[in-house]
Amino acid sequence: MYSNEFIQYITSERRLSAHTIRAYTSDIEQFKTYLEGEFEITDTSQALSHQIRSFAAHLIEQKTSAKSVNRKLTCLRTYYKYCLRQQYISFTPMNKVISPRNSKRLPYFIEEESMKNLFANITFEENFTGIRNKAILETFYGTGIRLDELRRLTIKNIDFPQRTIKVIGKRNKERIIPFGVQMETALNNYLTILKESFENGKQNDFLFVSIEGESLNPKSIYLIVRKYIDQITTIGKRSPHILRHTFATHLLNQEAPLNAIKEMLGHSSLSSTQIYSHNSINRLKNIYKQAHPRA
């Protein structure tokens, strides 16, 4: 009960990202199924603390990562706050629920030489999809934006004279990110073939589109990135998000200020950005071991 209202609230009022809305919808449905199966409760708003703790324990028993469990509990916290504010309940059961501790796993990233190899030696076909795919990869690596942010880009978001791009991030927060000459060239090449391919105009204002002129869905973008990263690295994770990690790590390796990286990534707090400093510290340790005579 009230779950549909809640999804409508986070969509139209909170304006959370499409990715978060999909995740929260799935989390609520999973919790609803668990309550019905284990406790014969059909109204999620009436769940008690011990039942939510039982749900979390069940997830952990199913080998769900602490990060995923915490995200599901965050969803439920937001849901019960909404129910409390609407006076559907008189207290939130989440007050007695403690989230499991996240393991501090360092983000995966691609080495600089491998990224140079991607753009210098990997073949991108000289047609619409090949030129578009190179522009997509240049944009991910050149700005560190998220997949959903890239999907929402329009041509108007790009300021070529200033060489900056306006990104609409989480909760519709805007930020301006500079980009370099290589990305500028890739975008110009793409916009040229885009105009040639759709002389009569396309059906939407999105920057990156399919050969039919429709906006690209998340799976299509994922497969595009995976196709090319597979050719330069054997690293475990090869999703678009790894290019965001790579962007941040390479900037830190070149001694970019952490606060500047925070602004470009759109992080709300510096603690979210600081995890990349661990990668840089590990790099310094490796250099020390290789170079110092008493290492």
Side-chain angles (χ1 to χ4, degrees), residues 28-120:
I28 289 286
E29 287 302 316
Q30 185 180 14
F31 180 55
K32 186 187 298 183
T33 300
Y34 180 80
L35 284 180
E36 290 176 359
E38 293 294 319
F39 301 103
E40 297 183 354
I41 295 175
T42 58
D43 185 351
T44 50
S45 67
Q46 298 305 307
L48 300 175
S49 298
H50 74 275
Q51 292 158 342
I52 298 170
R53 289 196 296 270
S54 173
F55 174 60
H58 166 74
L59 292 172
I60 293 170
E61 287 173 2
Q62 296 297 311
K63 308 298 183 184
T64 306
S65 68
K67 182 178 180 180
S68 293
V69 174
N70 282 334
R71 192 206 66 217
K72 294 174 190 295
L73 292 179
T74 297
C75 167
L76 293 179
R77 282 194 181 88
T78 308
Y79 169 65
Y80 285 112
K81 281 182 181 179
Y82 168 78
C83 290
L84 187 64
R85 188 163 52 249
Q86 298 297 113
Q87 299 184 338
Y88 297 147
I89 57 178
S90 57
F91 67 94
T92 171
M94 296 303 296
N95 288 339
K96 295 183 180 179
V97 177
I98 299 174
S99 299
R101 179 175 295 179
N102 274 325
S103 57
K104 289 187 177 180
R105 187 179 62 190
L106 296 181
Y108 290 95
F109 70 96
I110 302 170
E111 295 291 345
E112 290 183 37
E113 282 303 313
S114 295
M115 290 305 300
K116 288 178 182 177
N117 181 40
L118 171 63
F119 296 114

Side-chain angles (χ1 to χ4, degrees), residues 19 155-156 162 272:
H19 174 76
I155 296 174
K156 293 178 181 178
Q162 296 296 321
S272 300

Side-chain angles (χ1 to χ4, degrees), residues 73-271:
L73 292 179
T74 297
C75 167
L76 293 179
R77 282 194 181 88
T78 308
Y79 169 65
Y80 285 112
K81 281 182 181 179
Y82 168 78
C83 290
L84 187 64
R85 188 163 52 249
Q86 298 297 113
Q87 299 184 338
Y88 297 147
I89 57 178
S90 57
F91 67 94
T92 171
M94 296 303 296
N95 288 339
K96 295 183 180 179
V97 177
I98 299 174
S99 299
R101 179 175 295 179
N102 274 325
S103 57
K104 289 187 177 180
R105 187 179 62 190
L106 296 181
Y108 290 95
F109 70 96
I110 302 170
E111 295 291 345
E112 290 183 37
E113 282 303 313
S114 295
M115 290 305 300
K116 288 178 182 177
N117 181 40
L118 171 63
F119 296 114
N121 300 318
I122 300 302
T123 301
F124 292 87
E125 294 180 347
E126 289 297 320
N127 56 22
F128 177 80
T129 55
I131 293 171
R132 179 204 62 194
N133 293 351
K134 185 173 185 179
I136 286 173
L137 289 163
E138 285 278 13
T139 302
F140 270 130
Y141 179 52
T143 62
I145 62 176
R146 304 175 179 93
L147 188 153
D148 194 56
E149 292 170 345
L150 180 127
R151 286 186 66 233
R152 296 167 66 186
L153 286 176
T154 67
I155 296 174
K156 293 178 181 178
N157 289 142
I158 306 169
D159 184 341
F160 281 106
Q162 296 296 321
R163 209 183 289 157
T164 60
I165 191 165
K166 181 169 72 174
V167 177
I168 312 299
K170 292 183 176 181
R171 297 176 180 82
N172 272 8
K173 291 182 179 178
E174 293 184 2
R175 66 186 189 278
I176 305 296
I177 307 173
F179 59 83
V181 175
Q182 300 299 328
M183 179 175 153
E184 179 184 25
T185 301
L187 286 175
N188 274 320
N189 291 341
Y190 169 63
L191 290 176
T192 299
I193 200 167
L194 181 69
K195 185 177 180 180
E196 293 171 355
S197 301
F198 301 98
E199 290 181 1
N200 298 322
K202 52 191 177 66
Q203 297 178 10
N204 55 60
D205 295 324
F206 291 110
L207 172 61
F208 293 114
V209 297
S210 67
I211 55 175
E212 293 83 19
E214 301 292 336
S215 61
L216 291 171
N217 61 52
K219 185 176 180 181
S220 297
I221 297 172
Y222 175 88
L223 291 175
I224 288 168
V225 172
R226 179 76 184 244
K227 171 185 175 180
Y228 293 98
I229 292 183
D230 274 346
Q231 300 179 59
I232 60 166
T233 182
T234 57
I235 199 167
K237 296 201 173 185
R238 298 187 286 281
S239 68
H241 213 68
I242 199 174
L243 294 176
R244 180 171 166 85
H245 296 325
T246 301
F247 165 83
T249 302
H250 290 181
L251 283 175
L252 266 175
N253 285 348
Q254 299 300 323
E255 300 183 358
L258 203 59
N259 267 313
I261 297 172
K262 168 185 170 292
E263 293 301 317
M264 286 186 277
L265 291 175
H267 285 160
S268 56
S269 67
L270 195 61
S271 60

